Amino acid sequence: MTGSFLHEPPVSPRVQALYDDDLAGDGYIWSLSRLWAHQPETLKRLFELMSQAFTPSGLSFRQRGILVTAAASALGDSYCSLAWGGKLGTASDAATAAGVLNGSDAGLTDQEKAMAAWARKVATDPNATTPADIQALRDAGLDDGQIFAITSFVALRLAFSTINDSLGTQPDAQLALSVPQQVREAVTYGRPAAS
């Protein structure tokens, strides 16, 4: 089973390299990788672009995790919510990650709360943002360059999630079992994890 609506493509050297990276890092091939095996070079370039967009922000891995987790949960993307909720749980703690996933933002600083709120607005209704939303980010200590960087990063993450979700990618059972229970219990939306 591929874990998505598409059949797995034939294995080429690039596809095998994608699978080998998963096996070396996690011991199994992610459903996402089986999907993106249709265009492994696009996946590579998309991740490079995400990194390029985020790097000028100068923000931490924890802050990147907050942005992804807030946006993914607002979108209803269970796969990225589990993956990045787990990463955020490691960078902080499980309760903080669960708070971002459920929208309570417990355990976040004021700046992080502003960033999470912004990521959710970008994910759910970007046309409803206002100058006041930007001022809230400025008041939280972000400059305009950082605001542009995090907005670009979130938008690219949403493109990635939209492709995955539209094509039926199901979170891996191994992924769901690897995250803290609080994170797993907070992801009550999206596609269920594979059994």
Side-chain angles (χ1 to χ4, degrees), residues 30-44:
W30 288 55
S31 296
L32 284 174
S33 296
R34 293 182 192 281
L35 174 67
W36 283 90
H38 288 278
Q39 290 190 21
E41 191 63 24
T42 301
L43 177 64
K44 177 184 173 192

Side-chain angles (χ1 to χ4, degrees), residues 28 48 87 124 128 135 138 145 147 149 156 160 165 170 173 177 193:
Y28 66 97
E48 288 171 352
K87 291 177 184 184
T124 57
Q135 191 58 50
R138 289 178 181 137
I147 294 168
L156 291 166
F160 178 68
D165 293 343
Q170 194 174 12
L177 293 173

Side-chain angles (χ1 to χ4, degrees), residues 134-152:
I134 298 299
Q135 191 58 50
L137 291 167
R138 289 178 181 137
D139 292 345
L142 298 174
D143 64 34
D144 285 9
Q146 289 174 314
I147 294 168
F148 185 87
I150 65 172
T151 305
S152 298

Side-chain angles (χ1 to χ4, degrees), residues 91-129:
S92 56
D93 57 69
T96 299
V100 176
L101 288 164
N102 67 30
S104 72
D105 293 340
L108 299 186
T109 67
D110 288 343
Q111 184 182 68
E112 291 169 340
K113 288 177 184 177
M115 292 169 59
W118 178 249
R120 291 184 188 106
K121 286 182 182 188
V122 172
T124 57
D125 195 355
N127 286 303
T129 62

Side-chain angles (χ1 to χ4, degrees), residues 45-132:
R45 291 187 186 261
L46 179 58
F47 278 6
E48 288 171 352
L49 188 57
M50 284 186 227
S51 179
Q52 182 181 354
F54 185 77
T55 299
S57 73
L59 299 173
S60 69
F61 180 83
R62 172 186 159 109
Q63 291 166 314
R64 183 172 62 173
I66 290 165
L67 290 168
V68 176
T69 304
S73 61
L75 187 63
D77 176 3
S78 58
Y79 206 133
C80 288
S81 291
L82 287 168
W84 276 91
K87 291 177 184 184
L88 182 56
T90 300
S92 56
D93 57 69
T96 299
V100 176
L101 288 164
N102 67 30
S104 72
D105 293 340
L108 299 186
T109 67
D110 288 343
Q111 184 182 68
E112 291 169 340
K113 288 177 184 177
M115 292 169 59
W118 178 249
R120 291 184 188 106
K121 286 182 182 188
V122 172
T124 57
D125 195 355
N127 286 303
T129 62
T130 66

